[in-house]
Amino acid sequence: MGGDGRPGDGGGGGAGHPHQFQYQALLAAVHTQNPNHNHNHNHNHNLPFPLPPLNGPGPDASTHNAARQPPTPRGFADWSASTSAFTSLAVQSTPSTATANAYHYSLSPCYAFWTHYMLNKNAYSYYPAPNQEHTHPFSLDNNQAKDPGSIPNFGIESFNTTSLAPSMSAHMPPMEGPLSTKEPEASEDMPARVVAIKDERDARNGIELKCETVDALPELKQGHESCATKFNSGEYQVILRKELTKSDVANVGRIVLPKKDAEASLPPLCERDPVILQMDDMVLPVTWKFKYRFWPNNKSRMYILDSTSEFVKTHGLQAGDALIIYKNPVPGKYIVRGEKAIQQTN
DNA sequence: GCAATTGCATGATTT
DNA sequence: AAAATCATGCAATTG
């Protein structure tokens, strides 16, 4: 049955996925649009932010599972092609001492930067610009600060990231720059505590999440890996990370989610009724609509994220890559990102 | 009848 | 060793 969370609307021609190409074209576009853009370093000035024609990011990225973002501010959604520049930057490995199966959790600088930028740019009342006293190769120095479209900086606080998951922090390269005002890394056996936006409780059908105050999370269940990225009064918290398996990417567009994380951070699934989760793509101007549900399994449950094939294809995710879900300051939504595994250079 | 989806069972791993 | 979790294959269902 197609009930699939196809895009904004009944995905008529589900079979062909011409859209992935559009997305990719979108991504690629930036490169050509911003020839100056140096892929490797020195982004501290003259960042490729030719600024988004808010009225129309061009490509018809609005179909399918994903709905194009409206020109209005919505969490991470409000951006345009220029932003995809970050994608290109993302392809870089980290110096991590990666162990064999190490998590390649790396908010690569580009992402960090992107986030940094976008938050500043789009957050409106949510997130004023990040603290600029951080110096970092990617620090936004003056650029976005001058972005006419950005909101004024109200007393910026620090933008920090707190890594919690033992497993994650263990491999997560210390985030640099703006993102690295990180707390003393939680050591492997020391799961840290995280402050999180508490809203799961109120999350009824995944649509009415209420973004309340920042509050101490009771206790992210043991082992729950999480990473809170803090921006002033708001936080971006990694609520779930899944290293994709063959079946996650090759199958029928469904990804098995780690039970613990799913139960801890996604809307509760009371019945068998699936819940549609809207997730803003972290690098594309689209909002994915995934069907979140579970299968009874033995005496337990298996949590599934459905209708993910477009997302996977669009990001070219393969086994070994990862799916990362963040909490979105926008009530009822999440932010999703596909993370390519770091290629190991022997 | 076929292809795409969905639901479930089972074996492998991990805890 | 037992229990829990998860990856995956496959049957059932749907369009």
Side-chain angles (χ1 to χ4, degrees), chain A residues 27 30-31 37-39 83-92 110:
Chain A
L27 292 175
V30 186
H31 303 311
H37 182 247
N38 180 334
H39 286 226
T83 309
S84 55
F86 293 109
T87 331
S88 64
L89 301 178
V91 189
Q92 54 129 51
C110 59

Side-chain angles (χ1 to χ4, degrees), chain A residues 88-150:
Chain A
S88 64
L89 301 178
V91 189
Q92 54 129 51
S93 56
T94 51
S96 78
T97 61
T99 52
N101 57 347
Y103 279 164
H104 9 266
Y105 182 92
S106 64
L107 263 185
S108 51
C110 59
Y111 276 120
F113 183 60
W114 174 89
T115 303
H116 198 154
Y117 173 76
M118 291 314 286
L119 287 177
N120 178 43
K121 183 177 189 312
N122 306 321
Y124 296 85
S125 56
Y126 284 115
Y127 308 105
N131 191 339
Q132 315 233 322
E133 63 184 277
H134 297 290
T135 35
H136 177 267
F138 293 146
S139 78
L140 304 179
D141 293 319
N142 30 38
N143 31 19
Q144 92 289 4
K146 324 245 181 222
D147 176 357
S150 72

Side-chain angles (χ1 to χ4, degrees), chain A residues 246-304:
Chain A
K246 251 195 303 187
S247 52
D248 287 330
V249 299
N251 269 18
V252 273
R254 61 187 183 193
I255 296 174
V256 175
L257 300 177
K259 185 184 178 213
K260 207 189 308 175
D261 292 342
E263 292 185 336
S265 311
L266 294 178
L269 293 177
C270 306
E271 307 297 324
R272 296 293 300 273
D273 320 310
V275 166
I276 301 300
L277 298 183
Q278 293 188 52
M279 302 193 187
D280 288 339
D281 193 297
M282 201 179 243
V283 296
L284 290 172
V286 300
T287 294
W288 301 95
K289 287 181 184 172
F290 298 132
K291 209 188 288 179
Y292 171 56
R293 63 205 176 99
F294 73 86
W295 295 333
N297 188 264
N298 293 321
K299 298 209 97 182
S300 186
R301 292 177 168 187
M302 276 189 74
Y303 290 89
I304 309 298

